[in-house]
Amino acid sequence: MLLANSAAFNNLTTLIERSSDSERILNGFRIIMESEALDNVAVSEMIAEQTTGAGAPDGEDGIKSLEQATRLATLDLFIENTGHRRPYPNIAHFLLFGALDAEQPIQDPHALGAHKTSIHVILDMLGAGVPRLKGKVTERERQIALQTDPLFVTLPG
């Protein structure tokens, strides 16, 4: 987060976007957002503080418990860097939407040639458990929406 806010890296977004690994980076953030972790937010952050950083014990015992904390840190990065006082485009915009020079930065993830990005995952999370009233919705999709708990129930924190 500090790197994204640093004045020394005004072109960080351009640097990452032009990198040969930009798709891997985008997919990595999308995978973080797709994490199925339903751990308590406060507990996840406490575990992250105890098991990461300088002086933290070595080992991979707590990797699974860090998924929620990692997703929360990613959401914090998105929130802090998409505020009205932050310039566009920046690293958060790139990680949310993908290529920033495209005419249509947000694409239908099911369209031919389109990529699912972090913003699609966030919108799916927000739409979970909310039945659609209009548009193309199959009966199966409607039943799944009715059986799925909304985000404010599954992750109230």
Side-chain angles (χ1 to χ4, degrees):
M1 186 127 18
L2 293 174
L3 184 61
N5 290 328
S6 172
F9 289 98
N10 289 337
N11 294 322
L12 179 63
T13 305
T14 306
L15 181 69
I16 292 176
E17 187 174 17
R18 291 182 182 168
S19 165
S20 61
D21 292 325
S22 65
E23 284 299 317
R24 279 186 3 164
I25 293 168
L26 284 173
N27 286 332
F29 275 86
R30 180 186 49 79
I31 290 168
I32 288 170
M33 294 308 302
E34 287 178 336
S35 167
E36 295 290 328
L38 297 175
D39 302 337
N40 181 292
V41 171
V43 172
S44 294
E45 288 181 343
M46 182 185 69
I47 291 171
E49 284 180 27
Q50 293 172 350
T51 59
T52 61
D58 289 339
E60 304 214 2
D61 301 334
I63 297 286
K64 188 70 174 164
S65 62
L66 293 176
E67 285 183 27
Q68 182 72 299
T70 305
R71 182 167 57 180
L72 291 170
T74 302
L75 284 170
D76 284 343
L77 173 92
F78 293 158
I79 291 167
E80 285 189 26
N81 286 286
T82 56
H84 70 284
R85 295 178 191 252
R86 298 292 298 154
Y88 176 88
N90 65 41
I91 191 65
H93 297 109
F94 174 70
L95 296 173
L96 278 167
F97 305 116
L100 297 173
D101 59 353
E103 290 179 17
Q104 268 189 321
I106 301 177
Q107 299 178 351
D108 178 357
H110 306 292
L112 185 63
H115 299 286
K116 188 172 185 178
T117 61
S118 294
I119 192 66
H120 296 115
V121 176
I122 292 170
L123 293 172
D124 287 345
M125 287 169 55
L126 292 172
V130 179
R132 301 199 192 291
L133 300 176
K134 296 181 180 179
K136 296 179 184 178
V137 179
T138 66
E139 186 57 36
R140 181 178 176 272
E141 290 172 330
R142 184 172 280 121
Q143 289 302 318
I144 290 172
L146 293 173
Q147 295 171 358
T148 304
D149 289 331
L151 185 63
F152 67 87
V153 172
T154 58
L155 291 171

